[in-house]
mmCIF file of all heavy atoms in Angstrom:
data_model
loop_
_atom_site.group_PDB
_atom_site.id
_atom_site.type_symbol
_atom_site.label_atom_id
_atom_site.label_comp_id
_atom_site.label_asym_id
_atom_site.label_seq_id
_atom_site.Cartn_x
_atom_site.Cartn_y
_atom_site.Cartn_z
ATOM 1 N N VAL F 1 133.194 -14.378 -95.481
ATOM 2 C CA VAL F 1 133.406 -15.675 -96.001
ATOM 3 C C VAL F 1 132.422 -16.605 -95.382
ATOM 4 O O VAL F 1 132.329 -16.763 -94.245
ATOM 5 C CB VAL F 1 134.888 -16.166 -95.704
ATOM 6 C CG1 VAL F 1 135.088 -17.536 -96.393
ATOM 7 C CG2 VAL F 1 135.925 -15.222 -96.103
ATOM 8 N N CYS F 2 131.619 -17.249 -96.310
ATOM 9 C CA CYS F 2 130.451 -18.162 -95.872
ATOM 10 C C CYS F 2 131.057 -19.526 -95.394
ATOM 11 O O CYS F 2 132.103 -19.948 -95.904
ATOM 12 C CB CYS F 2 129.587 -18.367 -97.129
ATOM 13 S SG CYS F 2 128.175 -19.379 -96.820
ATOM 14 N N PRO F 3 130.318 -20.134 -94.509
ATOM 15 C CA PRO F 3 130.751 -21.516 -94.138
ATOM 16 C C PRO F 3 130.700 -22.311 -95.388
ATOM 17 O O PRO F 3 129.838 -22.193 -96.287
ATOM 18 C CB PRO F 3 129.581 -21.889 -93.125
ATOM 19 C CG PRO F 3 129.106 -20.670 -92.556
ATOM 20 C CD PRO F 3 129.177 -19.670 -93.676
ATOM 21 N N GLU F 4 131.549 -23.328 -95.411
ATOM 22 C CA GLU F 4 131.596 -24.259 -96.637
ATOM 23 C C GLU F 4 130.230 -25.047 -96.732
ATOM 24 O O GLU F 4 129.723 -25.136 -97.846
ATOM 25 C CB GLU F 4 132.729 -25.231 -96.413
ATOM 26 C CG GLU F 4 132.990 -26.148 -97.617
ATOM 27 C CD GLU F 4 134.303 -26.835 -97.282
ATOM 28 O OE1 GLU F 4 134.243 -27.746 -96.420
ATOM 29 O OE2 GLU F 4 135.387 -26.662 -97.886
ATOM 30 N N ASP F 5 129.683 -25.391 -95.600
ATOM 31 C CA ASP F 5 128.375 -26.010 -95.543
ATOM 32 C C ASP F 5 127.296 -24.901 -95.283
ATOM 33 O O ASP F 5 127.150 -24.402 -94.043
ATOM 34 C CB ASP F 5 128.299 -27.146 -94.462
ATOM 35 C CG ASP F 5 126.920 -27.765 -94.351
ATOM 36 O OD1 ASP F 5 125.983 -27.368 -95.031
ATOM 37 O OD2 ASP F 5 126.869 -28.732 -93.586
ATOM 38 N N VAL F 6 126.605 -24.421 -96.319
ATOM 39 C CA VAL F 6 125.736 -23.270 -95.982
ATOM 40 C C VAL F 6 124.530 -23.618 -95.047
ATOM 41 O O VAL F 6 123.941 -22.699 -94.464
ATOM 42 C CB VAL F 6 125.152 -22.709 -97.344
ATOM 43 C CG1 VAL F 6 126.244 -22.148 -98.201
ATOM 44 C CG2 VAL F 6 124.403 -23.822 -98.138
ATOM 45 N N SER F 7 124.327 -24.895 -94.871
ATOM 46 C CA SER F 7 123.220 -25.196 -93.912
ATOM 47 C C SER F 7 123.604 -24.860 -92.414
ATOM 48 O O SER F 7 122.748 -24.754 -91.584
ATOM 49 C CB SER F 7 122.845 -26.682 -94.036
ATOM 50 O OG SER F 7 123.905 -27.494 -93.455
ATOM 51 N N GLN F 8 124.880 -24.499 -92.205
ATOM 52 C CA GLN F 8 125.249 -24.106 -90.864
ATOM 53 C C GLN F 8 125.286 -22.582 -90.670
ATOM 54 O O GLN F 8 125.631 -22.137 -89.596
ATOM 55 C CB GLN F 8 126.773 -24.459 -90.737
ATOM 56 C CG GLN F 8 127.072 -26.012 -90.751
ATOM 57 C CD GLN F 8 128.557 -26.409 -90.602
ATOM 58 O OE1 GLN F 8 129.383 -25.671 -91.110
ATOM 59 N NE2 GLN F 8 128.825 -27.442 -89.826
ATOM 60 N N ILE F 9 124.666 -21.946 -91.622
ATOM 61 C CA ILE F 9 124.755 -20.462 -91.576
ATOM 62 C C ILE F 9 123.998 -19.818 -90.452
ATOM 63 O O ILE F 9 124.424 -18.853 -89.804
ATOM 64 C CB ILE F 9 124.268 -19.830 -92.906
ATOM 65 C CG1 ILE F 9 124.552 -18.258 -92.988
ATOM 66 C CG2 ILE F 9 122.784 -20.021 -93.158
ATOM 67 C CD1 ILE F 9 125.979 -17.994 -92.987
ATOM 68 N N PHE F 10 122.881 -20.461 -89.980
ATOM 69 C CA PHE F 10 122.111 -19.916 -88.856
ATOM 70 C C PHE F 10 122.986 -20.024 -87.545
ATOM 71 O O PHE F 10 122.986 -18.933 -86.838
ATOM 72 C CB PHE F 10 120.768 -20.623 -88.758
ATOM 73 C CG PHE F 10 119.728 -20.154 -89.806
ATOM 74 C CD1 PHE F 10 119.536 -20.928 -90.903
ATOM 75 C CD2 PHE F 10 119.056 -18.991 -89.568
ATOM 76 C CE1 PHE F 10 118.630 -20.558 -91.897
ATOM 77 C CE2 PHE F 10 118.147 -18.612 -90.513
ATOM 78 C CZ PHE F 10 117.856 -19.413 -91.636
ATOM 79 N N GLU F 11 123.493 -21.086 -87.263
ATOM 80 C CA GLU F 11 124.299 -21.222 -86.061
ATOM 81 C C GLU F 11 125.538 -20.385 -86.118
ATOM 82 O O GLU F 11 126.027 -19.888 -85.182
ATOM 83 C CB GLU F 11 124.585 -22.722 -85.694
ATOM 84 C CG GLU F 11 125.335 -23.446 -86.808
ATOM 85 C CD GLU F 11 125.547 -24.920 -86.424
ATOM 86 O OE1 GLU F 11 126.527 -25.208 -85.775
ATOM 87 O OE2 GLU F 11 124.730 -25.738 -86.857
ATOM 88 N N PHE F 12 126.188 -20.393 -87.420
ATOM 89 C CA PHE F 12 127.308 -19.529 -87.653
ATOM 90 C C PHE F 12 127.054 -18.074 -87.324
ATOM 91 O O PHE F 12 127.831 -17.335 -86.638
ATOM 92 C CB PHE F 12 127.742 -19.752 -89.027
ATOM 93 C CG PHE F 12 128.955 -18.948 -89.433
ATOM 94 C CD1 PHE F 12 130.245 -19.291 -89.121
ATOM 95 C CD2 PHE F 12 128.736 -17.778 -90.170
ATOM 96 C CE1 PHE F 12 131.338 -18.546 -89.547
ATOM 97 C CE2 PHE F 12 129.813 -16.999 -90.613
ATOM 98 C CZ PHE F 12 131.151 -17.397 -90.237
ATOM 99 N N ARG F 13 125.922 -17.623 -87.851
ATOM 100 C CA ARG F 13 125.597 -16.159 -87.603
ATOM 101 C C ARG F 13 125.192 -15.835 -86.171
ATOM 102 O O ARG F 13 125.396 -14.704 -85.692
ATOM 103 C CB ARG F 13 124.394 -15.776 -88.539
ATOM 104 C CG ARG F 13 124.809 -15.659 -90.079
ATOM 105 C CD ARG F 13 125.827 -14.585 -90.289
ATOM 106 N NE ARG F 13 125.257 -13.184 -90.072
ATOM 107 C CZ ARG F 13 125.839 -12.322 -89.308
ATOM 108 N NH1 ARG F 13 126.915 -12.488 -88.741
ATOM 109 N NH2 ARG F 13 125.240 -11.085 -89.165
ATOM 110 N N ARG F 14 124.712 -16.881 -85.454
ATOM 111 C CA ARG F 14 124.258 -16.577 -84.119
ATOM 112 C C ARG F 14 125.405 -16.277 -83.186
ATOM 113 O O ARG F 14 125.320 -15.580 -82.089
ATOM 114 C CB ARG F 14 123.511 -17.749 -83.544
ATOM 115 C CG ARG F 14 122.012 -17.764 -83.969
ATOM 116 C CD ARG F 14 121.192 -18.718 -83.165
ATOM 117 N NE ARG F 14 119.987 -19.039 -83.941
ATOM 118 C CZ ARG F 14 119.822 -20.074 -84.699
ATOM 119 N NH1 ARG F 14 120.753 -21.050 -84.765
ATOM 120 N NH2 ARG F 14 118.729 -20.244 -85.372
ATOM 121 N N GLN F 15 126.621 -16.677 -83.502
ATOM 122 C CA GLN F 15 127.815 -16.344 -82.618
ATOM 123 C C GLN F 15 128.347 -14.986 -83.009
ATOM 124 O O GLN F 15 129.119 -14.397 -82.295
ATOM 125 C CB GLN F 15 128.907 -17.403 -82.894
ATOM 126 C CG GLN F 15 129.743 -17.279 -84.078
ATOM 127 C CD GLN F 15 130.947 -18.273 -84.060
ATOM 128 O OE1 GLN F 15 131.362 -18.715 -83.007
ATOM 129 N NE2 GLN F 15 131.459 -18.534 -85.211
ATOM 130 N N GLY F 16 127.739 -14.319 -84.003
ATOM 131 C CA GLY F 16 128.056 -12.881 -84.237
ATOM 132 C C GLY F 16 129.450 -12.572 -84.724
ATOM 133 O O GLY F 16 130.027 -11.610 -84.328
ATOM 134 N N ARG F 17 130.101 -13.582 -85.452
ATOM 135 C CA ARG F 17 131.479 -13.414 -85.836
ATOM 136 C C ARG F 17 131.687 -13.818 -87.271
ATOM 137 O O ARG F 17 131.602 -14.940 -87.605
ATOM 138 C CB ARG F 17 132.370 -14.214 -84.899
ATOM 139 C CG ARG F 17 133.786 -14.044 -85.006
ATOM 140 C CD ARG F 17 134.644 -14.838 -84.043
ATOM 141 N NE ARG F 17 134.341 -14.478 -82.634
ATOM 142 C CZ ARG F 17 134.870 -13.477 -81.999
ATOM 143 N NH1 ARG F 17 135.782 -12.644 -82.567
ATOM 144 N NH2 ARG F 17 134.640 -13.284 -80.680
ATOM 145 N N ASP F 18 131.857 -12.720 -88.132
ATOM 146 C CA ASP F 18 132.035 -12.987 -89.533
ATOM 147 C C ASP F 18 133.506 -12.762 -89.928
ATOM 148 O O ASP F 18 134.166 -11.845 -89.518
ATOM 149 C CB ASP F 18 131.164 -12.020 -90.339
ATOM 150 C CG ASP F 18 129.729 -12.505 -90.442
ATOM 151 O OD1 ASP F 18 129.501 -13.742 -90.249
ATOM 152 O OD2 ASP F 18 128.902 -11.660 -90.822
ATOM 153 N N TRP F 19 133.920 -13.682 -90.857
ATOM 154 C CA TRP F 19 135.299 -13.699 -91.333
ATOM 155 C C TRP F 19 135.312 -12.822 -92.623
ATOM 156 O O TRP F 19 134.352 -12.869 -93.433
ATOM 157 C CB TRP F 19 135.809 -15.047 -91.724
ATOM 158 C CG TRP F 19 136.487 -15.840 -90.668
ATOM 159 C CD1 TRP F 19 137.803 -16.257 -90.542
ATOM 160 C CD2 TRP F 19 135.924 -16.181 -89.366
ATOM 161 N NE1 TRP F 19 138.043 -16.800 -89.323
ATOM 162 C CE2 TRP F 19 136.843 -16.885 -88.548
ATOM 163 C CE3 TRP F 19 134.528 -16.240 -88.847
ATOM 164 C CZ2 TRP F 19 136.627 -17.426 -87.354
ATOM 165 C CZ3 TRP F 19 134.314 -16.708 -87.569
ATOM 166 C CH2 TRP F 19 135.369 -17.359 -86.849
ATOM 167 N N THR F 20 136.289 -11.952 -92.897
ATOM 168 C CA THR F 20 136.466 -11.149 -94.016
ATOM 169 C C THR F 20 137.394 -11.855 -94.941
ATOM 170 O O THR F 20 138.528 -12.401 -94.535
ATOM 171 C CB THR F 20 136.996 -9.771 -93.641
ATOM 172 O OG1 THR F 20 136.133 -9.121 -92.706
ATOM 173 C CG2 THR F 20 137.198 -8.876 -94.820
ATOM 174 N N GLY F 21 137.099 -11.746 -96.273
ATOM 175 C CA GLY F 21 137.864 -12.462 -97.312
ATOM 176 C C GLY F 21 139.131 -11.580 -97.680
ATOM 177 O O GLY F 21 139.252 -11.254 -98.835
ATOM 178 N N TYR F 22 140.107 -11.495 -96.825
ATOM 179 C CA TYR F 22 141.269 -10.713 -97.065
ATOM 180 C C TYR F 22 142.112 -11.218 -98.276
ATOM 181 O O TYR F 22 142.601 -10.448 -99.088
ATOM 182 C CB TYR F 22 142.185 -10.511 -95.872
ATOM 183 C CG TYR F 22 141.467 -9.856 -94.673
ATOM 184 C CD1 TYR F 22 141.217 -10.522 -93.474
ATOM 185 C CD2 TYR F 22 141.117 -8.553 -94.804
ATOM 186 C CE1 TYR F 22 140.633 -9.948 -92.386
ATOM 187 C CE2 TYR F 22 140.530 -7.879 -93.630
ATOM 188 C CZ TYR F 22 140.263 -8.633 -92.445
ATOM 189 O OH TYR F 22 139.710 -8.060 -91.351
ATOM 190 N N GLU F 23 142.245 -12.529 -98.223
ATOM 191 C CA GLU F 23 143.082 -13.171 -99.296
ATOM 192 C C GLU F 23 142.423 -12.828 -100.632
ATOM 193 O O GLU F 23 143.084 -12.456 -101.662
ATOM 194 C CB GLU F 23 143.186 -14.663 -99.066
ATOM 195 C CG GLU F 23 144.000 -15.378 -100.120
ATOM 196 C CD GLU F 23 143.958 -16.859 -99.936
ATOM 197 O OE1 GLU F 23 143.135 -17.380 -99.219
ATOM 198 O OE2 GLU F 23 144.627 -17.556 -100.761
ATOM 199 N N GLY F 24 141.132 -13.114 -100.765
ATOM 200 C CA GLY F 24 140.429 -12.849 -102.023
ATOM 201 C C GLY F 24 140.476 -11.377 -102.410
ATOM 202 O O GLY F 24 140.647 -11.048 -103.612
ATOM 203 N N LEU F 25 140.233 -10.536 -101.429
ATOM 204 C CA LEU F 25 140.253 -9.075 -101.718
ATOM 205 C C LEU F 25 141.607 -8.567 -102.281
ATOM 206 O O LEU F 25 141.761 -7.658 -103.024
ATOM 207 C CB LEU F 25 139.795 -8.365 -100.455
ATOM 208 C CG LEU F 25 138.388 -8.346 -100.127
ATOM 209 C CD1 LEU F 25 138.089 -7.775 -98.753
ATOM 210 C CD2 LEU F 25 137.518 -7.575 -101.118
ATOM 211 N N SER F 26 142.722 -9.149 -101.686
ATOM 212 C CA SER F 26 143.963 -8.735 -102.134
ATOM 213 C C SER F 26 144.280 -8.891 -103.612
ATOM 214 O O SER F 26 145.127 -8.295 -104.182
ATOM 215 C CB SER F 26 145.106 -9.542 -101.357
ATOM 216 O OG SER F 26 145.154 -10.922 -101.814
ATOM 217 N N VAL F 27 143.502 -9.744 -104.357
ATOM 218 C CA VAL F 27 143.704 -9.912 -105.795
ATOM 219 C C VAL F 27 142.457 -9.382 -106.562
ATOM 220 O O VAL F 27 142.354 -9.723 -107.757
ATOM 221 C CB VAL F 27 143.955 -11.339 -106.074
ATOM 222 C CG1 VAL F 27 145.212 -11.854 -105.464
ATOM 223 C CG2 VAL F 27 142.801 -12.296 -105.756
ATOM 224 N N SER F 28 141.564 -8.682 -105.984
ATOM 225 C CA SER F 28 140.320 -8.242 -106.561
ATOM 226 C C SER F 28 140.575 -6.978 -107.373
ATOM 227 O O SER F 28 139.695 -6.686 -108.189
ATOM 228 C CB SER F 28 139.258 -7.879 -105.499
ATOM 229 O OG SER F 28 139.674 -6.731 -104.687
ATOM 230 N N GLY F 29 141.614 -6.247 -107.154
ATOM 231 C CA GLY F 29 141.740 -4.933 -107.891
ATOM 232 C C GLY F 29 141.016 -3.793 -107.214
ATOM 233 O O GLY F 29 141.062 -2.667 -107.716
ATOM 234 N N LEU F 30 140.158 -4.103 -106.208
ATOM 235 C CA LEU F 30 139.291 -3.063 -105.596
ATOM 236 C C LEU F 30 140.104 -2.129 -104.835
ATOM 237 O O LEU F 30 141.054 -2.511 -104.021
ATOM 238 C CB LEU F 30 138.185 -3.696 -104.791
ATOM 239 C CG LEU F 30 137.063 -4.332 -105.614
ATOM 240 C CD1 LEU F 30 136.245 -5.324 -104.698
ATOM 241 C CD2 LEU F 30 136.158 -3.270 -106.125
ATOM 242 N N ASP F 31 139.797 -0.818 -104.912
ATOM 243 C CA ASP F 31 140.384 0.173 -104.011
ATOM 244 C C ASP F 31 139.459 0.616 -102.927
ATOM 245 O O ASP F 31 139.928 0.981 -101.811
ATOM 246 C CB ASP F 31 140.736 1.456 -104.855
ATOM 247 C CG ASP F 31 141.700 1.126 -105.973
ATOM 248 O OD1 ASP F 31 142.831 0.628 -105.680
ATOM 249 O OD2 ASP F 31 141.479 1.400 -107.153
ATOM 250 N N VAL F 32 138.223 0.554 -103.172
ATOM 251 C CA VAL F 32 137.191 1.001 -102.244
ATOM 252 C C VAL F 32 135.974 0.016 -102.337
ATOM 253 O O VAL F 32 135.518 -0.328 -103.378
ATOM 254 C CB VAL F 32 136.554 2.465 -102.520
ATOM 255 C CG1 VAL F 32 135.631 2.903 -101.416
ATOM 256 C CG2 VAL F 32 137.742 3.458 -102.736
ATOM 257 N N VAL F 33 135.522 -0.417 -101.147
ATOM 258 C CA VAL F 33 134.329 -1.294 -100.973
ATOM 259 C C VAL F 33 133.381 -0.714 -100.084
ATOM 260 O O VAL F 33 133.699 -0.363 -98.976
ATOM 261 C CB VAL F 33 134.837 -2.701 -100.500
ATOM 262 C CG1 VAL F 33 133.513 -3.531 -100.247
ATOM 263 C CG2 VAL F 33 135.777 -3.405 -101.441
ATOM 264 N N PHE F 34 132.123 -0.483 -100.517
ATOM 265 C CA PHE F 34 131.065 -0.116 -99.623
ATOM 266 C C PHE F 34 130.514 -1.452 -99.070
ATOM 267 O O PHE F 34 129.841 -2.199 -99.678
ATOM 268 C CB PHE F 34 129.954 0.588 -100.430
ATOM 269 C CG PHE F 34 130.291 2.013 -100.729
ATOM 270 C CD1 PHE F 34 131.284 2.199 -101.678
ATOM 271 C CD2 PHE F 34 129.627 3.088 -100.139
ATOM 272 C CE1 PHE F 34 131.626 3.557 -101.964
ATOM 273 C CE2 PHE F 34 129.931 4.383 -100.448
ATOM 274 C CZ PHE F 34 130.941 4.695 -101.392
ATOM 275 N N GLU F 35 131.073 -1.700 -97.806
ATOM 276 C CA GLU F 35 130.836 -2.972 -97.082
ATOM 277 C C GLU F 35 129.484 -3.005 -96.311
ATOM 278 O O GLU F 35 129.361 -2.013 -95.510
ATOM 279 C CB GLU F 35 132.025 -3.261 -96.236
ATOM 280 C CG GLU F 35 131.892 -4.452 -95.308
ATOM 281 C CD GLU F 35 131.685 -5.772 -96.012
ATOM 282 O OE1 GLU F 35 132.396 -6.094 -96.970
ATOM 283 O OE2 GLU F 35 130.654 -6.432 -95.636
ATOM 284 N N ASN F 36 128.696 -3.947 -96.566
ATOM 285 C CA ASN F 36 127.343 -3.909 -96.023
ATOM 286 C C ASN F 36 127.178 -5.040 -94.932
ATOM 287 O O ASN F 36 126.117 -5.162 -94.522
ATOM 288 C CB ASN F 36 126.302 -4.020 -97.149
ATOM 289 C CG ASN F 36 126.033 -2.732 -97.870
ATOM 290 O OD1 ASN F 36 125.106 -2.039 -97.565
ATOM 291 N ND2 ASN F 36 126.904 -2.479 -98.786
ATOM 292 N N TYR F 37 128.249 -5.599 -94.599
ATOM 293 C CA TYR F 37 128.268 -6.569 -93.494
ATOM 294 C C TYR F 37 127.076 -7.601 -93.721
ATOM 295 O O TYR F 37 126.814 -7.801 -94.848
ATOM 296 C CB TYR F 37 128.178 -5.836 -92.192
ATOM 297 C CG TYR F 37 129.315 -4.844 -91.976
ATOM 298 C CD1 TYR F 37 129.117 -3.550 -92.334
ATOM 299 C CD2 TYR F 37 130.570 -5.292 -91.566
ATOM 300 C CE1 TYR F 37 130.162 -2.592 -92.275
ATOM 301 C CE2 TYR F 37 131.592 -4.329 -91.472
ATOM 302 C CZ TYR F 37 131.441 -3.032 -91.849
ATOM 303 O OH TYR F 37 132.447 -2.195 -91.780
ATOM 304 N N MET F 38 126.524 -8.111 -92.686
ATOM 305 C CA MET F 38 125.384 -9.085 -92.844
ATOM 306 C C MET F 38 124.195 -8.809 -91.886
ATOM 307 O O MET F 38 123.672 -9.786 -91.297
ATOM 308 C CB MET F 38 125.978 -10.528 -92.660
ATOM 309 C CG MET F 38 126.899 -10.934 -93.748
ATOM 310 S SD MET F 38 126.105 -11.153 -95.383
ATOM 311 C CE MET F 38 125.148 -12.670 -95.128
#
């Protein structure tokens, strides 16, 4: 899940902590995801 303000992405990524979109995935219909992280 990306920061709402994408200009914050560099400082966001430097802390090395990414949020996973569990809520969105729960309604995606997906059974398997080849997850490539960032």
